Amino acid sequence: MAKAAIGQICSSNSMAHNLEQCVKLVGQAAAAGAKVLFLPEASDYIGTSAAESLSLAKPISSSPFVNGLCSAAAEHNLAVHVGIHVPVAVKPTTDTSNPVLNSVPESEDADTIAATSPSPSSPPPSDQAAKPDTPSPKIKLYNRTIYITPTGTLLENSSYDKLHLFNYPNASLRESTTTQAGSRFTPPFPSPIGRLGSLICFDLRFPEAALHLTTRSHMTPPSYPLANPVPNSPNPLNPSSYPSPAQILLYPSAFTVATGTAHWLPLLRARAIETQSYVIAAAQVGLHNPGSSGRVSYGRSAVIDPWGREVLVMKGVKGEEGKEEAEEGAVGELGVVEIDLKEWERVREGMPLVRRTDVYPEV
């Protein structure tokens, strides 16, 4: 068995403050004997507006948040899994079949991003210069998770971009306006506590994604190639190189209070039970940017075991609707649990789930 740590923070539009919260948790997790620290979605920042969120994003290579967290991981010899924003130049698409796929990615290159980003002092391009058949690229964000090794380096081919975007009119949130949807799964990758399968927040509502990452024990490749395959990653058409299934599903999140109250723990338990896997969900908690924004995150970071038991549930928010605030100790809370992969094996051996892929498609 090995220890995993879950850190709960309240990100704001101050990247320096958010980094300070995370670095403190790195030190605490290492002191507690954990091998990996899991941090929430959008740990680098949560802006007060879409425009501010776009302006705060930095390429990974120049991100002070990423560089600072890598240094902390190396100092404490601790792996860290964390959610961040990454700018990408995109072009609009005319395909209206899926409302969240309203643009296509062009480049994450830092020079391209700098050249594409609008400058307050730059006049808008003239109508004469614009060509309708070649729309000008603009900037969106990838909602991404990265995995930092204990040496402070990013593990190659372990980053994941959120597939399912949160368009929720009732909460005035439309993630597809500023976020570029991911186009592929990240194959499960090893960690000191077991093989990790990366998903993010709203992905939790789609069991197909969880099943895809956790039911590859037969080593059969998918019947289709991955979109935008990553160089040097396992070949999805070669059974001998396709990875083993994830033992631990990850859902770093920033759930709203309304959806969290109704669905957070039931969905986490459902994903664990139906995939017979551990689920680790580090969550944002509390009011982000007090006085500038009314956005509140539900908290209650959790760990669920492969039988569906709640191993850990952390603190959340309290108060009446519209006046919620984090419970005392919820912001900056650290949870530590033992991950027992023998339990993962026992559950799967004791209750085999033989899927009827002769009747319905394999996910």
Side-chain angles (χ1 to χ4, degrees):
M1 292 194 293
K3 289 183 179 179
I6 298 85
Q8 189 166 260
I9 66 172
C10 183
S11 291
S12 69
N13 58 358
S14 170
M15 199 178 297
H17 176 63
N18 303 332
L19 177 60
E20 182 181 351
Q21 292 183 76
C22 294
V23 168
K24 182 178 180 180
L25 287 166
V26 169
Q28 292 175 343
K35 298 299 182 182
V36 189
L37 169 64
F38 296 95
L39 293 168
E41 173 186 30
S43 286
D44 54 347
Y45 65 85
I46 289 180
T48 60
S49 66
E52 183 179 52
S53 188
L54 287 167
S55 71
L56 289 171
K58 302 291 183 185
I60 286 181
S61 60
S62 59
S63 168
F65 179 87
V66 173
N67 291 334
L69 201 52
C70 284
S71 296
E75 178 183 350
H76 293 279
N77 192 34
L78 180 76
V80 178
H81 183 272
V82 61
I84 61 171
H85 300 87
V86 178
V88 56
V90 303
K91 287 186 177 181
T93 177
T94 57
D95 183 4
T96 59
S97 60
N98 188 323
V100 303
L101 300 179
N102 51 23
S103 58
V104 293
E106 291 287 300
S107 175
E108 291 181 43
D109 176 72
D111 292 337
T112 302
I113 297 299
T116 305
S117 298
S119 169
S121 59
S122 301
S126 66
D127 292 339
Q128 289 78 13
K131 297 181 180 180
D133 57 334
T134 56
S136 298
K138 64 174 184 176
I139 300 299
K140 278 193 171 184
L141 305 171
Y142 276 127
N143 187 333
R144 177 172 293 179
T145 57
I146 57 174
Y147 181 82
I148 303 169
T149 70
T151 62
T153 59
L154 299 184
L155 181 64
E156 185 178 9
N157 296 328
S158 65
S159 67
Y160 165 72
D161 297 327
K162 188 177 183 181
L163 289 175
H164 302 94
L165 301 186
F166 184 63
N167 285 1
Y168 187 47
N170 288 348
S172 300
L173 293 172
R174 191 172 293 277
E175 195 174 16
S176 63
T177 302
T178 56
T179 302
Q180 177 64 38
S183 59
R184 64 177 182 87
F185 288 100
T186 294
F189 55 91
S191 81
I193 64 168
R195 291 186 298 273
L196 306 179
S198 287
L199 295 166
I200 300 173
C201 200
F202 197 53
D203 289 330
L204 179 59
R205 294 185 179 275
F206 301 89
E208 302 92 339
L211 289 167
H212 176 87
L213 291 173
T214 56
T215 56
R216 293 299 180 189
S217 57
H218 43 69
M219 302 297 286
T220 301
S223 59
Y224 52 88
L226 292 176
N228 300 332
V230 178
N232 302 319
S233 65
N235 179 358
L237 300 182
N238 181 352
S240 64
S241 67
Y242 200 77
S244 297
Q247 296 161 310
I248 303 149
L249 287 170
L250 307 178
Y251 290 102
S253 297
F255 252 59
T256 68
V257 175
T259 59
T261 302
H263 300 149
W264 175 243
L265 287 173
L267 284 172
L268 291 175
R269 294 191 64 214
R271 295 298 86 84
I273 292 167
E274 68 200 6
T275 65
Q276 299 177 316
S277 306
Y278 276 97
V279 167
I280 296 178
Q284 295 274 352
V285 64
L287 174 62
H288 307 282
N289 303 300
S292 301
S293 170
R295 181 172 174 180
V296 181
S297 289
Y298 181 66
R300 292 182 173 78
S301 300
V303 177
I304 315 295
D305 78 3
W307 191 246
R309 292 174 289 234
E310 296 174 2
V311 178
L312 171 73
V313 179
M314 294 162 67
K315 296 179 180 179
V317 294
K318 62 180 180 180
E320 61 184 87
E321 185 176 355
K323 297 182 180 179
E324 301 95 346
E325 59 181 5
E327 295 175 324
E328 184 177 355
V331 178
E333 185 178 5
L334 183 79
V336 180
V337 299
E338 294 271 7
I339 300 298
D340 182 3
L341 295 183
K342 290 184 178 179
E343 176 66 10
W344 178 80
E345 293 175 353
R346 281 193 294 268
V347 170
R348 290 191 161 213
E349 291 173 358
M351 185 178 288
L353 300 181
V354 181
R355 290 182 162 79
R356 288 294 306 275
T357 53
D358 59 318
V359 176
Y360 52 81
E362 181 182 359
V363 292

